[in-house]
Each structure stands twice: as C-alpha cells, then as structure tokens.
Amino acid sequence: MDKQVLAAMARWPDVPDVFGWLSLTRQGKWRLHPNADALAHLARDSGPLPGEPITSHTILNFINKNYEGDAQGRWYFQNGPQRVFVRLDAAPHILHTVTDTQGTLGLHTHNGLNAAHVHEWLLADDGSLYARTDQGPGIVNGRDLEAVLTLLTTKDDTNMLDLLAHTPDATGPFVITQGFHGDTHPAKTILRRCPATDIATILGFQHNPQP
C-alpha cells in the first residue's frame, strides 16, 4: 500500500466506508459506478449494472496498488483514508498466465502480483477454475484455462486437461504433483470439483460486500 495512503489513514481514521461505487469484472477490469449502483441488482433481482470503464492509467495503477481484502472476505480499494468496497463479478483476483525469460509459465493477478504459490484448485461445475493463492482467492482468466489445466499434472502423470477430456464425470479430489514454476508439490496441492454457487463460501470472499 502506498505510503501516502497509510499516512492518510493514520491522520483520518474515522472516514466512513463506501459501497456500490466500484466493481471488478470477470476479465479483471475496474468499473466505476458514479450513481453508487453497483449493488442495485440485489434489490431489483436483475443483472448487475456494468458501470463505466476507468481509462486513466494513473488511477488504475493507484487502485491496483491499494487493493486488499478484510477479515470478512470483503475486498476494497483504499482511497486515501476511505475504503471503497468492490463488487466482485467473479473473484477477488483474476489470474492470467505469464512466461518468464526462461520460458517458464507462471500466474499473475489482474493487478500485477505474482501468485507464486497455489494452495488449492477448485473446478466449478460451470467450467470455471479457481485457486486459493498466496495473494488471495482468484479465478483463471478464460483464455488461460486450457494452458493451466494442461500444466497441472496428477500423481499418475496425467495432465488435468486430458483427464477431464477422457473422464468428464470424474469427481476427484485430484492430487496435483506438478504446477507452476517447475515446482513439485507431492500430496500438497489438491484440485477439487464443486458447485459454482459454493465457491465464494469455500474461498472466503464476498461477491457483494455490505456495510
């Protein structure tokens, strides 16, 4: 978190939190809701309002650097002394693959953090892949899903993409013995299948944070 933000928090500790002004899309894009209506769909039983794209690189960098979660699983942007809580359309982090100079595949979050350690994988019944990482819960960006499943290898040396293609109804859990960065994690990393509706509870985050 930026030093000036920490200083502002110390100077003005009682600034009220705000809700409904910011959302994070499934693609990892920040959206502004000038009418504070990001959570309006909860009352109207309709789809979430998309908000407006944020195009300023300065603002985007500031949000990315000052984005965190609290003990209740609510994620927020610390805007100086004020917490701006975020509607999550998918997960707190959107994960995408990156390749280093040695050609090794890794995971980064939408705000540029290195997700070096995955503690658990969750494959939802809607086909989405989630992860419990050292940076917090995340969902794999759709375009990277195939690459990730190909890299994840079970204890019998079968990659998850092949396993799911040949036995789509296999329930697991599956022990992942090889993942990112060339590390091996025998009997340490598990991939489980579960209902999409259970993901937020299992990973401990709130899609629609409330006061």
Side-chain angles (χ1 to χ4, degrees):
M1 192 172 288
D2 285 341
K3 291 182 179 179
Q4 63 267 33
V5 170
L6 295 173
M9 293 167 61
R11 177 177 284 187
W12 298 290
D14 299 319
V15 176
D17 302 331
V18 297
F19 298 80
W21 288 87
L22 194 64
S23 63
L24 179 67
T25 73
R26 193 179 184 89
Q27 293 73 39
K29 304 296 183 183
W30 295 109
R31 307 282 294 194
L32 179 66
H33 297 259
N35 297 318
D37 56 10
L39 303 179
H41 66 289
L42 299 178
R44 292 201 311 262
D45 194 28
S46 60
L49 296 172
E52 301 177 1
I54 300 174
T55 58
S56 167
H57 291 295
T58 300
I59 295 175
L60 290 171
N61 288 336
F62 188 55
I63 295 174
N64 285 335
K65 290 170 64 177
N66 296 285
Y67 175 59
E68 293 187 358
D70 69 8
Q72 299 178 51
R74 304 178 303 175
W75 286 73
Y76 61 90
F77 155 51
Q78 188 73 48
N79 184 24
Q82 187 170 59
R83 287 186 176 183
V84 181
F85 283 90
V86 181
R87 184 191 82 201
L88 303 173
D89 292 346
H93 289 296
I94 312 304
L95 305 171
H96 59 89
T97 58
V98 292
T99 305
D100 64 18
T101 54
Q102 284 75 44
T104 303
L105 202 65
L107 281 179
H108 277 191
T109 67
H110 69 280
N111 58 331
L113 301 178
N114 179 24
H117 301 290
V118 175
H119 307 293
E120 180 182 23
W121 295 97
L122 295 169
L123 184 62
D125 56 7
D126 64 359
S128 300
L129 181 65
Y130 295 80
R132 190 190 306 276
T133 81
D134 54 339
Q135 302 295 350
I139 184 173
V140 175
N141 190 305
R143 68 185 182 200
D144 294 315
L145 181 59
E146 182 176 347
V148 172
L149 289 175
T150 300
L151 187 64
L152 299 181
T153 304
T154 65
K155 59 184 178 181
D156 61 355
D157 293 326
T158 302
N159 70 61
M160 282 303 305
L161 191 65
D162 285 344
L163 189 153
L164 293 170
H166 291 95
T167 55
D169 296 327
T171 58
F174 309 97
V175 177
I176 304 300
T177 57
Q178 184 168 330
F180 289 91
H181 310 289
D183 294 335
T184 55
H185 316 283
K188 292 183 178 180
T189 307
I190 299 294
L191 185 147
R192 292 191 287 153
R193 304 189 79 164
C194 63
T197 52
D198 293 347
I199 290 292
T201 299
I202 294 172
L203 292 179
F205 67 88
Q206 296 186 32
H207 283 289
N208 303 295
Q210 304 291 317

